[in-house]
Amino acid sequence: MPETIRMATVREVAEFFRMKEATVCRLASEGHLPGLKIGKSWRFDMGALERLVTGRRPAAAGHAVKPK
């Protein structure tokens, strides 16, 4: 079953990482945080951010990642 994408705002990501919203925007614009800019607003896939924190690689659609 495919993973549901949970989109988050800059404010939600800032709360998740316990940092300022400006820092989230800067890190996203520099490519350090995976995000999507829609107009003037950033949106983030929380699953991708959680994988970034835990160091897990994203699974291909319908395929499990084998542990090392």
Side-chain angles (χ1 to χ4, degrees):
M1 176 185 255
E3 180 181 340
T4 301
I5 297 174
R6 294 174 291 138
M7 298 303 288
T9 63
V10 171
R11 176 174 285 159
E12 292 166 331
V13 173
E15 290 173 3
F16 178 74
F17 283 113
R18 295 189 173 128
M19 62 176 63
K20 293 182 180 182
E21 291 178 28
T23 304
V24 171
C25 292
R26 180 179 54 79
L27 291 172
S29 66
E30 292 174 352
H32 299 292
L33 286 178
L36 173 66
K37 192 163 189 184
I38 303 171
K40 295 181 180 181
S41 301
W42 283 96
R43 293 294 182 265
F44 301 88
D45 175 357
M46 284 305 294
L49 294 175
E50 290 167 355
R51 288 188 295 273
L52 179 70
V53 171
T54 61
R56 291 183 296 156
R57 294 183 190 195
H63 297 89
V65 175
K66 294 182 182 179
K68 293 181 181 180

